[in-house]
Amino acid sequence: MRLLRLLAVFTIIPLIEILLLLEVGTRIGTLNTLFLILLTGLVGAYLMHIQGFAVLGEIQNDLARGVPPARKILEGALVLAGGILLLTPGFFTDGIGMLLLVPQTRRCLLKKIQRAIEKRIHSHIMA
């Protein structure tokens, strides 16, 4: 199972990126495609900066109130992953990265991740 995930990450995703870049390049031209890639990188860096500091502020607030910030730390990791994906050239990874930087979609994904972690912990306790 892990091998299939690695195969997807290192072969299928780059293949999708190449196909999308070629398709967009033929439709809007090479220079416009390069401009879009640069623009998404800049927007990604800006959004990562804004969202990263917002999550950091929430972590500091939780710590000041004595609340464990585990959920916020995981949210910060998703913001970082979203920023990295937006800085990576390609439209597919840009789309995923943008979703991770939008608080609503990030929190929805965070709930799913938490449920998966809880299931895994519960299955190890019961075993």
Side-chain angles (χ1 to χ4, degrees):
M1 188 67 163
R2 289 183 182 162
L3 182 61
L4 288 176
R5 287 183 189 155
L6 285 175
L7 179 67
V9 169
F10 291 112
T11 59
I12 295 171
I13 292 174
L15 181 62
I16 291 169
E17 290 289 17
I18 291 168
L19 292 173
L20 282 172
L21 287 169
L22 289 172
E23 183 65 26
V24 170
T26 58
R27 290 182 187 250
I28 67 170
T30 303
L31 288 178
N32 288 332
T33 303
L34 291 174
F35 175 74
L36 273 177
I37 292 169
L38 180 63
L39 181 65
T40 57
L42 292 172
V43 168
Y46 176 74
L47 288 175
M48 185 173 68
H49 175 79
I50 297 295
Q51 290 298 310
F53 277 111
V55 171
L56 184 60
E58 292 173 7
I59 290 171
Q60 289 173 337
N61 288 338
D62 283 354
L63 288 172
R65 291 179 309 172
V67 176
R71 180 182 169 100
K72 298 296 180 189
I73 290 172
L74 187 53
E75 193 171 343
L78 291 176
V79 168
L80 178 63
I84 290 170
L85 287 171
L86 274 166
L87 292 172
T88 304
F91 298 114
F92 182 70
T93 52
D94 286 350
I96 295 169
M98 194 65 78
L99 288 174
L100 290 176
L101 291 178
V102 173
Q104 293 81 1
T105 56
R106 182 176 63 240
R107 289 186 182 125
C108 180
L109 178 61
L110 184 60
K111 287 178 186 176
K112 291 180 184 213
I113 291 171
Q114 281 183 303
R115 277 190 234 123
I117 290 170
E118 288 169 1
K119 262 186 182 179
R120 194 165 205 170
I121 289 171
H122 184 71
S123 69
H124 284 296
I125 291 173
M126 300 304 282

